[in-house]
Amino acid sequence: MVKIFSSIKPTKVVPIKPKADTRKASEKKYGKPVMDLGFCIVPSLLMQAQARLGINPVQFNIIMHLADIWWDVAQRPWPKKQLLAERMGMSERQVQRQIAELESAGLVQRIERTRPGRGKTSNEYDLSGLVKRLKELEPEFTEMKQENQKRRKAVALPKHRRAST
């Protein structure tokens, strides 16, 4: 058997690139110790559609605190109003009023919880109304995003290549 490549010698050695920094982007922004304390994942649409949802800043803050605690779709969050009030620097009564407004708007549903022998405990909060509204708004925001992308792309084209309107 004849070796075809035996006379070929490499003329250039390509160094192996070192591994890219694998730290998460959030750690780069905020620092690892800050991110080690936890983080909350929420859809950007919640922020983009805040006015459309009729959510005031305090109600938005409450939703963010509920989202911070809600990690499992099958297990709704159940923070005490006292915890929410302390985190937000408000009274429990103020938090309670804002939650009642979110409930009236159909975005949050309070579910009373009781413990045998102990009576009432903190409420459980069902955010399925909020999720439903976000899903309803999504097509409109997706369409708007696509239109904006088309406009940006058209502006980037030379004038002679742009579609005439």
Side-chain angles (χ1 to χ4, degrees):
M1 180 182 265
V2 179
K3 289 184 179 179
I4 300 172
F5 299 108
S6 62
S7 62
I8 299 175
K9 294 184 181 182
T11 58
K12 183 178 178 185
V13 175
V14 178
I16 297 173
K17 292 181 182 178
K19 285 186 177 181
D21 188 347
T22 57
R23 289 182 304 157
K24 296 180 179 105
S26 55
E27 287 180 4
K28 290 179 183 178
K29 286 191 266 187
Y30 301 105
K32 185 171 177 7
V34 170
M35 293 308 298
D36 284 348
L37 291 173
F39 54 90
C40 176
I41 299 172
V42 295
S44 293
L45 181 56
L46 177 59
M47 290 170 268
Q48 295 165 6
Q50 180 181 344
R52 290 283 305 280
L53 292 165
I55 299 172
N56 70 38
V58 174
Q59 293 165 349
F60 180 82
N61 198 358
I62 290 169
I63 289 170
M64 294 302 292
H65 284 282
L66 293 175
D68 183 47
I69 299 165
W70 185 35
W71 278 93
D72 185 350
V73 71
Q75 188 174 13
R76 296 181 282 256
W78 66 83
K80 291 182 177 183
K81 285 186 286 293
Q82 177 187 2
L83 174 68
L84 297 174
E86 286 172 0
R87 284 181 168 190
M88 296 172 58
M90 299 177 71
S91 72
E92 288 181 47
R93 183 66 186 121
Q94 289 171 310
V95 169
Q96 189 175 17
R97 275 191 221 102
Q98 295 298 319
I99 292 171
E101 286 185 26
L102 288 167
E103 191 169 33
S104 293
L107 301 174
V108 173
Q109 180 185 359
R110 288 180 285 191
I111 302 166
E112 283 191 6
R113 292 185 332 131
T114 56
R115 294 175 81 181
R118 291 189 174 176
K120 284 186 176 184
T121 184
S122 63
N123 289 325
E124 191 172 287
Y125 297 94
D126 182 351
L127 301 172
S128 61
L130 174 66
V131 172
K132 180 181 178 215
R133 286 286 293 130
L134 289 172
K135 287 178 179 180
E136 291 168 358
L137 289 171
E138 175 275 323
E140 180 183 335
F141 278 77
T142 297
E143 183 180 334
M144 188 174 18
K145 181 180 179 180
Q146 291 169 344
E147 286 175 14
N148 288 337
Q149 287 172 336
K150 285 179 190 176
R151 277 193 219 107
R152 281 194 299 274
K153 189 175 180 181
V155 169
L157 290 174
K159 197 170 187 175
H160 70 279
R161 298 208 45 214
R162 294 181 196 166
S164 59
T165 52

